């Protein structure tokens, strides 16, 4: 007998007819010999309606009272679904998050789960009942019984956390699409269903705006090795498996309060090539990396900084063994990248890449700042920065690699067994590009003329962390200018649009201390990204991406990469056009046109 946790979102239980249909699906699962725990969201747009009611009463309601109000939405769903199950002869009981022992932080509206005491659920399962649980909610402790909510994606998080606590065989997430698709089917109806995806890939796609699974839910599954399957509640399709590494025996106490950083990685077999003052127009990155791919040169990190005038800088790293070849390619193509002959090429042979990794970084401002501060305290200067949802990488001087590793291990309490050299993905499911995502809710901030000294990045991102602002892409310009004999660089990064003005205001308070020149904000941007665990060792992926944009005459404002993701910032007005072009370039469409009922709640 298997124990299965199923989660149904708002549109899946959006009407009494839908609830009856879901009850039949659950009933069939029980008849197949399984024990079933069900987690449900509020019906349809119930939560939106409750928020509107609160706004009619108060312009600034307390977060505690909002939690009391919003938690009622799920209670309607669980009681109706339990009734529907009982009506067809299946014993069932509805329970709130508090009744099933979901204990959270005392942080109203965005609490994290501390632990789950599943004794009540186990007792009800032993009686042959289906247990229907209110998602999205918990309580602070068994004494105060303060109701808390988990924030956006809370029902996904509840379901996976319950599956882990119950040691379930599988967690099934039912939604309004057939599974995880190569892109948003509301934009590209021919998006193709994936049969499987790694948890790292899913983390990137979820955090890039794919609405099927919330990153916190994927993080829990990844940390505890819980098998996930995403399916449609409207069909019997097999859905998509999300494959996580095996559980390494993590404690269930502090379930969501895990260490943000799991390991420190380093790679000293790296060299950097920077092309300064290349023309700022569509097609430049495509020409450069297209030629690099034709020469079969595999590139690791790529960054393109913000433009200055009519030019910008592009830098990339390669393994040292191919540096002479890569340098020859760069020298040959440089004249094409700027007809005025202003492009300079800089080669750095004595560098190392150091990185911190961990799924716990998601949604926790301050991790990058802590990394930068620990490097500054060790007097290690940062030459390049590259970020993803589960990794922050920095290029440093090779002679400073050992002290950088020691500083990071000390800062994040990592022991020697978690220091990894030249990490290799041993997962057999390696696809160069798994999916494409678009984020139109970002803003770009550029801090101009920042002194190129250890500690500058740490100061900048510590201020943002203090404002609880999460930073996405971070790029440090390669071009260096001397002002009063002090080298200066630009630091650019992206944040959520709603955080842009708050971030700008906070950073201006630093101006008297670090003497930067100005801050420029651009809210008219979009970020288009490709994700795939097989990018490593697949020359040409970046070039193909950039070529797809060039064919549409789309200029690239910024580029950043990790091992499994490449992201480009483009004009917001060209975001959807860019998404469609890249999706087509990598032939990710299927033969079926999808009709999506509505957005999942």
């Amino acid at each position: 007998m298997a124990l299965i946790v199923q989660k149904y979102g708002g549109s899946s239980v959006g009407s009494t007819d839908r609830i009856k249909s879901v009850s039949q699906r659950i009933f069939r699962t029980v008849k197949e010999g399984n024990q079933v725990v069900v987690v449900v969201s509020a019906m349809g747009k119930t939560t939106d309606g409750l928020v509107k009611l609160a706004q009619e009463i108060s312009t600034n309601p307390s977060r505690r009272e909002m939690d009391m109000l919003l938690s009622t939405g799920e209670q309607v769903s669980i009681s109706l679904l339990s009734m529907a199950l009982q009506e067809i002869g299946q014993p069932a009981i509805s329970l709130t998050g508090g009744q099933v022992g979901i204990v959270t932080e005392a942080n109203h509206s965005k609490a994290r789960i501390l632990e789950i005491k599943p004794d009540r659920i186990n007792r009800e399962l032993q009686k042959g009942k289906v247990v229907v649980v209110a998602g999205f909610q918990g309580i602070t402790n068994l004494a105060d019984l303060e109701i808390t909510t988990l924030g956006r994606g809370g029902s996904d998080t509840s379901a996976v956390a319950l599956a882990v606590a119950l040691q379930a065989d599988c967690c099934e997430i039912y939604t309004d699409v057939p599974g995880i698709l190569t892109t948003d089917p509301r934009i590209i109806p021919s998006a193709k269903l994936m049969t499987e995806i790694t948890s790292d890939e899913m983390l990137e796609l979820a955090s890039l705006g794919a609405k099927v699974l919330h990153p916190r839910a994927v993080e829990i599954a990844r940390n505890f090795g819980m098998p996930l399957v995403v399916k449609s509640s409207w069909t019997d399709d097999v859905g998509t498996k999300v494959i996580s590494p095996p559980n390494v025996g993590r404690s269930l106490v502090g379930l969501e309060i895990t260490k943000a950083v799991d390991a420190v990685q380093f790679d000293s077999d790296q060299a950097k090539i920077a092309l300064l003052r290349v023309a700022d127009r569509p097609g430049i990155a495509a020409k450069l990396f297209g030629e690099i791919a034709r020469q079969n040169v595999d590139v690791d990190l790529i960054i393109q900084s913000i433009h200055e005038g009519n030019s910008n800088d592009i830098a990339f790293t390669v393994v040292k063994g191919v540096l002479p070849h890569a340098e020859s390619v760069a020298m040959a193509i440089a004249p094409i990248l700027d007809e005025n002959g202003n492009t300079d090429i800089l080669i750095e042979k004595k560098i190392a890449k150091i990185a911190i990794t961990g799924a716990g970084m998601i949604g926790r401002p301050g991790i990058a700042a802590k990394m930068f501060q620990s490097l500054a305290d060790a007097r290690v200067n940062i030459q390049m920065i590259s970020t993803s949802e589960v990794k922050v990488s920095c290029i440093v001087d090779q002679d400073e690699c050992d002290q950088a590793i020691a500083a990071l291990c000390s800062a994040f309490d990592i022991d020697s067994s978690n220091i990894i050299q030249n990490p290799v993905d041993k997962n057999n499911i390696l696809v160069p590009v798994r999916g494409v995502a678009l984020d139109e809710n970002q803003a770009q901030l550029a801090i101009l003329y920042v002194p190129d000294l250890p500690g500058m990045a740490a100061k900048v991102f510590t201020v943002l962390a203090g404002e609880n602002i999460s930073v996405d892409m971070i790029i440090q310009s390669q071009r260096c200018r001397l002002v009063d004999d002090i080298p200066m660089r630009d630091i650019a990064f992206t944040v959520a649009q709603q955080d842009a003005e708050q971030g700008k205001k906070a950073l201006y308070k630093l101006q008297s201390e670090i003497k930067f020149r100005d801050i420029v904000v651009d809210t008219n941007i979009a970020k288009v990204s490709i994700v795939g665990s097989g990018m490593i060792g697949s020359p040409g992926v970046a070039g193909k991406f950039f070529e797809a944009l060039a064919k549409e005459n789309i200029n690239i404002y910024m580029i950043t990469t990790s091992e499994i993701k490449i992201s480009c910032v483009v004009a917001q007005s060209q975001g959807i056009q860019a998404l469609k072009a890249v999706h087509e370039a990598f032939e990710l469409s299927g033969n079926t046109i999808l009709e999506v009922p509505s957005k999942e709640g």
Side-chain angles (χ1 to χ4, degrees):
M1 178 182 292
L3 172 56
I4 298 173
V5 174
Q6 296 181 340
K7 179 262 177 177
Y8 294 91
S11 65
S12 298
V13 293
S15 67
T16 52
D17 285 341
R18 290 298 305 144
I19 288 172
K20 291 176 183 178
S21 176
V22 165
S23 70
Q24 291 290 344
R25 183 183 294 274
I26 296 166
F27 188 53
R28 289 198 302 271
T29 306
V30 174
K31 291 302 180 185
E32 290 168 359
N34 302 301
Q35 293 180 309
V36 182
V37 174
V38 182
V39 176
V40 293
S41 300
M43 293 176 66
K45 301 296 182 181
T46 299
T47 301
D48 293 341
L50 294 172
V51 170
K52 185 178 179 182
L53 286 174
Q55 291 171 342
E56 291 175 2
I57 297 291
S58 170
T59 56
N60 187 29
S62 77
R63 292 198 298 172
R64 180 193 182 275
E65 299 307 328
M66 285 301 294
D67 279 0
M68 289 289 287
L69 176 65
L70 297 183
S71 64
T72 63
E74 279 70 24
Q75 287 178 239
V76 173
S77 301
I78 60 174
S79 56
L80 291 175
L81 182 54
S82 293
M83 293 177 194
L85 285 164
Q86 292 164 7
E87 189 68 16
I88 58 176
Q90 172 58 51
I93 184 170
S94 62
L95 297 172
T96 66
Q99 287 175 310
V100 298
I102 298 177
V103 181
T104 75
E105 305 168 302
N107 189 9
H108 288 289
S109 80
K110 51 183 177 181
R112 286 182 177 266
I113 298 171
L114 296 176
E115 62 178 321
I116 297 178
K117 303 177 186 296
D119 299 348
R120 175 77 185 273
I121 292 181
N122 284 324
R123 290 200 303 271
E124 301 296 346
L125 288 173
Q126 291 304 313
K127 297 175 185 176
K129 295 180 181 179
V130 169
V131 181
V132 185
V133 180
F136 178 65
Q137 61 181 253
I139 54 171
T140 54
N141 55 60
L142 298 179
D144 296 333
L145 300 177
E146 280 288 304
I147 294 174
T148 54
T149 63
L150 308 182
R152 190 171 68 87
S155 293
D156 287 352
T157 306
S158 300
V160 181
L162 278 168
V164 167
L166 291 164
Q167 297 183 314
D169 295 279
C170 180
C171 181
E172 299 175 345
I173 306 292
Y174 286 89
T175 181
D176 52 8
V177 292
I180 299 165
L181 301 160
T182 52
T183 197
D184 187 343
R186 297 172 183 89
I187 300 175
I188 303 179
S190 61
K192 185 165 57 179
L193 177 69
M194 306 181 201
T195 56
E196 54 194 8
I197 186 172
T198 69
S199 56
D200 280 347
E201 291 170 330
M202 192 64 237
L203 278 171
E204 299 285 7
L205 286 172
S207 298
L208 288 168
K211 304 296 193 299
V212 178
L213 267 177
H214 195 272
R216 281 170 63 185
V218 185
E219 176 189 350
I220 296 170
R222 180 184 185 272
N223 286 341
F224 292 93
M226 174 54 59
L228 284 180
V229 182
V230 180
K231 298 182 176 184
S232 171
S233 62
W234 302 75
T235 71
D236 292 323
D237 294 341
V238 294
T240 306
K241 294 180 181 178
V242 182
I243 300 169
S244 296
N247 190 359
V248 292
R250 287 177 182 264
S251 171
L252 292 175
V253 177
L255 194 148
E256 270 203 285
I257 316 298
T258 55
K259 286 173 66 174
V261 175
D262 294 326
V264 172
Q265 298 177 347
F266 76 99
D267 185 352
S268 55
D269 185 24
Q270 292 264 309
K272 180 180 77 174
I273 300 177
L275 292 90
L276 309 184
R277 290 181 292 276
V278 300
D280 180 32
R281 65 169 186 267
I284 294 299
K287 287 179 181 177
L288 172 60
F289 292 100
E291 184 59 31
I292 287 172
R294 280 188 287 275
Q295 298 297 324
N296 203 35
V297 174
D298 198 12
V299 173
D300 185 4
L301 299 182
I302 302 171
I303 66 163
Q304 177 181 301
S305 55
I306 57 170
H307 68 88
E308 181 177 1
N310 296 319
S311 69
N312 53 33
D313 308 331
I314 299 177
F316 58 94
T317 63
V318 295
V319 296
K320 287 178 180 174
V322 302
L323 176 61
H325 193 186
E327 184 178 357
S328 297
V329 174
M331 294 290 288
I333 201 169
I336 303 173
L337 303 183
D338 181 61
E339 296 87 346
N340 298 319
N342 294 324
T343 299
D344 290 331
I345 298 176
L346 299 180
I347 307 296
E348 292 280 352
K349 299 179 181 179
K350 295 186 63 178
I351 63 166
K353 181 176 72 173
I354 54 171
I356 54 173
T357 69
M361 296 182 193
I362 297 169
R364 299 184 193 182
I367 301 302
K370 186 174 181 180
M371 179 188 192
F372 302 154
Q373 186 60 59
S374 65
L375 295 177
D377 293 342
R379 307 303 298 169
V380 174
N381 201 29
I382 299 169
Q383 298 182 25
M384 284 174 67
I385 300 168
S386 178
T387 56
S388 79
E389 296 304 326
V390 295
K391 179 179 285 191
V392 181
S393 301
C394 294
I395 297 296
V396 301
D397 191 286
Q398 191 176 62
D399 293 338
E400 297 175 339
C401 183
D402 288 345
Q403 68 204 67
I405 290 171
L408 295 177
C409 287
S410 175
F412 292 103
D413 191 26
I414 300 294
D415 61 38
S416 59
S417 65
N418 295 100
I419 303 173
I420 307 166
Q421 183 174 14
N422 296 327
V424 176
D425 189 342
K426 296 181 180 179
N427 197 310
N428 290 323
I429 312 162
L430 298 178
V431 176
V433 176
R434 186 81 71 174
V436 186
L438 175 67
D439 188 344
E440 297 180 289
N441 298 309
Q442 293 214 333
Q444 174 188 283
L445 279 74
I447 310 176
L448 308 181
Y449 284 75
V450 179
D452 185 28
L453 301 169
M456 293 299 105
K459 291 180 186 295
V460 167
F461 294 104
T462 297
V463 165
L464 294 171
E467 297 289 324
N468 202 34
I469 294 175
S470 293
V471 177
D472 185 11
M473 299 170 68
I474 302 173
I475 293 175
Q476 186 172 258
S477 70
Q478 295 303 293
R479 197 178 312 184
C480 196
R481 310 89 152 185
L482 284 177
V483 178
D484 298 329
D485 294 325
I486 299 175
M488 301 281 188
R489 298 184 191 272
D490 301 334
I491 297 177
F493 54 92
T494 59
V495 298
Q497 279 184 3
Q498 65 265 27
D499 292 333
E501 284 305 316
Q502 180 188 355
K504 179 181 178 180
K505 184 177 179 181
L507 288 169
Y508 264 126
K509 296 175 183 177
L510 268 181
Q511 193 167 26
S512 60
E513 180 181 350
I514 65 176
K515 311 297 183 186
F516 62 80
R517 180 174 293 181
D518 200 3
I519 301 174
V520 179
V521 177
D522 186 356
T523 57
N524 295 313
I525 64 165
K527 183 181 72 171
V528 61
S529 305
I530 56 175
V531 173
S533 57
M535 289 186 189
I536 304 170
S538 298
V541 173
K544 194 173 188 177
F545 183 8
F546 305 150
E547 178 63 26
L549 298 180
K551 286 180 178 178
E552 297 294 317
N553 202 35
I554 296 172
N555 200 24
I556 299 171
Y557 295 175
M558 294 168 64
I559 301 170
T560 189
T561 66
S562 70
E563 283 85 350
I564 67 170
K565 181 179 74 172
I566 302 173
S567 296
C568 292
V569 171
V570 301
Q572 190 176 60
S573 61
Q574 295 181 305
I576 291 177
Q577 179 187 1
L579 179 76
K580 291 179 177 178
V582 174
H583 193 266
E584 181 180 352
F586 287 98
E587 300 177 354
L588 296 177
S589 290
N591 297 320
T592 303
I593 301 299
L594 296 170
E595 293 184 11
V596 181
S598 64
K599 286 199 173 184
E600 189 66 68

